[in-house]
Amino acid sequence: MKRALISVSDKTGVVDFSKALVELGFELLSTGGTKKTLEENGLPVTGVDEITGFPEILEGRVKTLHPMIHGGLLAKRNSDDHMKQIDEQGIKPIDVVCVNLYPFQQTIAKPDVTPEDAIENIDIGGPSMLRAAAKNHEDLAVVVDAADYETVLSELSENGEVSKATKRKLAAKVFRHTAAYDAQIAEYMTELAGEEQPERVTYTFELKQNLRYGENPHQKAAFYKKPLGSAFSIANAEQLHGKELSYNNIHDADAALQLVKDFDEPAAVAVKHMNPCGAGIGATASEAFKKAYEADPTSIFGGIVAFNREVDGDTARQLHEIFLEIIIAPSFSAEALDILTSKKNIRLMTIPFDGVQKQEKMLTSVEGGLLVQDQDSFTYEDAQISIPTKRQPTEEELAALKLAWKVVKHVKSNAIVVAGNDMTLGVGAGQMNRVGAAKIALEQAGERAKGAVLASDAFFPMSDTVEEAARAGITAIIQPGGSIRDEESIKACDEHGIAMIFTGVRHFKH
């Protein structure tokens, strides 16, 4: 008689799976809660302790870690020596293993979890059985996912055995599963130990969706999400309407989300190719969007718009007039949904802005490596502000400078933003020199630059940017300072009557 070892924490579908195995002539072996569940459903089950001759001990920590079990898992059927050895020890082979693990992820997701609870939910016997069975997958089928129950039963019913190809796929899934399980434990224990830059890092992500292609049609791509990752992320957004997201949509949506969350007042931001092309604030979402649109009515076409307030009917009517790929907001009113869903393809997405915004490490892949850094969460309120110029900024200029500083942090370097006190007027992004970025931003602002302010993501290595700003009519500047040639910029500002703020912190973004 063939034997199946069943020991699961998540019992979804396990009774039906086990019944089918019995009907196919399998003897069931099981432990603890799983054994009890199967017995309650009228299934004949042999306890593992009956096989090992040893009781479960240490509150169930030790029950399957025994040669009578692992010998049956690891013996190679095509090895006469292996089969002779297990026969001499009275060990019988195991043909199907169905195991899933203690709920470590669910445990650490609890807000009040203690280290003791977390550690107690680190499975030992389960991963050992899974790894043993997966290692010996040529001779047995190992199932870690209830989604595979039907495949295994179908092949057993039709062929009397599970095919080699399926057994290999199941084994590969097991090793992915145990690797992810261990990665979560390692991350938790590393944080618990307070180690910020350990000698090794291992992250795990779960497939959220396959993508039609990557940045370009010839590149394959998929979207993965981090288990227990920040709720305030595009990976955890709820899509209410529209086509599936593309690779570029996801990048742009993330950029829009990261910018709009920096505002407390009602705000709207428009993003194109991961750079903000417009940002506005106002008393309402409608007013904020009007300003974001007016900031650059050309570039917003085909872009992504994000709000930090509900989209109402008035706002939706404005949005409906232009072609957009995605609209993100905390919520949409019923009227807004009626208006916007008339466009079949537009994606409407909601994210809970009132939730806890978890600070995560930023991961950037390079060929053959991974860069890991903290998020750039530094704000104007965190800065050590100094004003080196003779003229101080007015209250209106100060409001505009703060807005420009929030936006420039999210613009690709070298970055310059020109703004009024409630909207951006020009954005210069991703240039190889700072004065080039300034010229683009000022040209976009045009006449609106007169009386406006300018923000730079990094210091001025020379005074040329100030000179360009002065010619355009800029009255105040915010920048990190710290150049060995700061005095040149300060002097130029004083000559033109421009107020300048130093923040002491740069916001490079590559």
Side-chain angles (χ1 to χ4, degrees):
M1 180 179 285
K2 290 187 175 183
R3 306 166 97 204
L5 175 56
I6 316 289
S7 181
V8 293
S9 176
D10 179 0
K11 296 176 176 56
T12 303
V14 75
V15 171
D16 290 340
F17 180 63
S18 300
K19 281 181 180 177
L21 288 174
V22 170
E23 290 169 1
L24 289 167
F26 277 78
E27 176 190 3
L28 301 182
L29 314 180
S30 193
T31 63
T34 305
K35 179 174 180 287
K36 182 181 178 182
T37 297
L38 298 180
E39 287 175 335
E40 288 173 348
N41 283 272
L43 292 172
V45 187
T46 301
V48 164
D49 56 348
E50 297 175 57
I51 303 296
T52 64
F54 204 90
E56 294 183 13
I57 62 171
L58 308 180
E59 299 174 311
R61 284 187 169 197
V62 178
K63 51 195 174 206
T64 58
L65 297 169
H66 195 282
M68 296 298 287
I69 299 301
H70 284 269
L73 297 175
L74 286 164
K76 293 191 288 186
R77 310 296 198 267
N78 63 357
S79 168
D80 292 339
D81 185 47
H82 277 209
M83 299 310 289
K84 179 183 177 184
Q85 287 183 53
I86 65 169
D87 184 58
E88 289 173 350
Q89 300 300 325
I91 299 172
K92 295 181 181 179
I94 296 171
D95 304 284
V96 171
V97 172
C98 175
V99 172
N100 56 53
L101 307 177
Y102 291 172
F104 181 79
Q105 178 177 315
Q106 294 90 325
T107 300
I108 62 172
K110 298 173 183 175
D112 57 349
V113 65
T114 64
E116 291 74 21
D117 287 340
I119 290 169
E120 199 56 39
N121 277 279
I122 297 175
D123 204 328
I124 302 301
S128 298
M129 287 189 291
L130 286 172
R131 288 174 61 82
K135 176 175 180 175
N136 201 28
H137 68 272
E138 290 278 335
D139 293 319
L140 67 157
V142 54
V143 189
V144 74
D145 185 351
D148 295 315
Y149 290 170
E150 186 56 41
T151 299
V152 170
L153 292 174
S154 176
E155 293 195 14
L156 286 171
S157 298
E158 293 176 12
N159 308 313
E161 63 180 357
V162 179
S163 69
K164 287 187 176 182
T166 297
K167 286 192 283 192
R168 180 155 291 178
K169 287 180 180 178
L170 293 171
K173 181 179 278 193
V174 163
F175 286 119
R176 293 194 299 271
H177 184 80
T178 57
Y181 192 79
D182 284 340
Q184 285 192 299
I185 294 169
E187 184 175 359
Y188 176 83
M189 294 298 295
T190 299
E191 290 179 3
L192 194 64
E195 294 192 54
E196 294 188 356
Q197 294 182 328
E199 77 288 348
R200 292 176 185 271
V201 292
T202 309
Y203 299 102
T204 184
F205 294 84
E206 298 170 349
L207 181 66
K208 181 175 174 68
Q209 70 181 87
N210 290 308
L211 301 173
R212 286 184 298 146
Y213 52 82
E215 282 186 286
N216 300 289
H218 60 276
Q219 295 171 269
K220 290 183 180 179
F223 184 25
Y224 290 81
K225 65 177 286 187
K226 184 178 182 181
L228 305 184
S230 174
F232 192 84
S233 73
I234 196 64
N236 286 303
E238 180 183 0
Q239 185 166 343
L240 305 181
H241 178 74
K243 297 188 299 184
E244 277 195 350
L245 297 177
S246 71
Y247 182 98
N248 292 329
N249 289 156
I250 292 165
H251 260 313
D252 286 343
D254 177 66
L257 190 60
Q258 297 310 313
L259 171 53
V260 81
K261 77 177 184 181
D262 276 356
F263 289 90
D264 296 319
E265 60 272 73
V269 302
V271 166
K272 196 79 170 288
H273 299 299
M274 293 184 67
N275 275 304
C277 55
I281 57 176
T284 64
S286 176
E287 186 179 319
F289 175 70
K290 185 174 186 295
K291 292 169 182 173
Y293 173 76
E294 290 174 352
D296 187 348
T298 300
S299 297
I300 196 173
F301 182 84
I304 281 81
V305 175
F307 296 86
N308 62 358
R309 296 292 192 277
E310 180 176 84
V311 171
D312 59 13
D314 287 342
T315 312
R317 277 184 278 275
Q318 295 179 67
L319 294 162
H320 189 265
E321 293 302 312
I322 57 176
F323 168 61
L324 297 171
E325 291 279 1
I326 304 173
I327 303 170
I328 305 169
S331 59
F332 294 81
S333 72
E335 183 184 11
L337 285 174
D338 281 343
I339 294 167
L340 294 171
T341 54
S342 65
K343 290 188 172 183
K344 183 175 70 171
N345 293 329
I346 192 169
R347 293 96 164 170
L348 306 178
M349 312 194 75
T350 60
I351 291 176
F353 277 66
D354 55 353
V356 177
Q357 296 181 15
K358 184 178 178 182
Q359 291 293 314
E360 295 185 347
K361 295 289 186 182
M362 304 299 293
L363 312 180
T364 304
S365 64
V366 295
E367 190 162 355
L370 181 73
L371 291 168
V372 181
Q373 66 173 344
D374 293 336
Q375 285 188 349
D376 183 2
S377 57
F378 196 91
T379 68
Y380 183 89
E381 286 67 31
D382 299 318
Q384 298 294 316
I385 297 298
S386 63
I387 302 174
T389 52
K390 294 175 181 177
R391 191 171 78 78
Q392 303 280 305
T394 65
E395 286 300 315
E396 187 172 1
E397 286 172 337
L398 189 58
L401 289 166
K402 288 180 179 178
L403 185 149
W405 185 244
K406 285 180 181 179
V407 176
V408 80
K409 166 183 165 183
H410 297 274
V411 179
K412 299 289 186 180
S413 301
N414 286 319
I416 296 289
V417 170
V418 176
N421 65 354
D422 55 7
M423 63 184 285
T424 56
L425 304 171
V427 177
Q431 298 306 300
M432 288 64 72
N433 62 75
R434 194 152 302 280
V435 71
K439 287 178 178 178
I440 291 171
L442 292 165
E443 181 181 355
Q444 187 182 41
E447 289 299 311
R448 298 183 298 178
K450 292 179 180 178
V453 306
L454 179 148
S456 172
D457 65 330
F459 62 59
F460 298 154
M462 53 194 69
S463 62
D464 50 4
T465 301
V466 175
E467 297 295 343
E468 289 291 337
R471 278 192 287 272
I474 294 294
T475 60
I477 291 172
I478 186 167
Q479 59 129 321
S483 169
I484 60 172
R485 300 174 69 169
D486 273 346
E487 285 303 320
E488 292 182 25
S489 295
I490 296 167
K491 181 181 177 183
C493 282
D494 286 340
E495 288 175 354
H496 295 289
I498 295 173
M500 185 160 63
I501 289 178
F502 283 173
T503 64
V505 172
R506 77 181 187 202
H507 283 307
F508 273 162
K509 187 174 180 66
H510 289 87

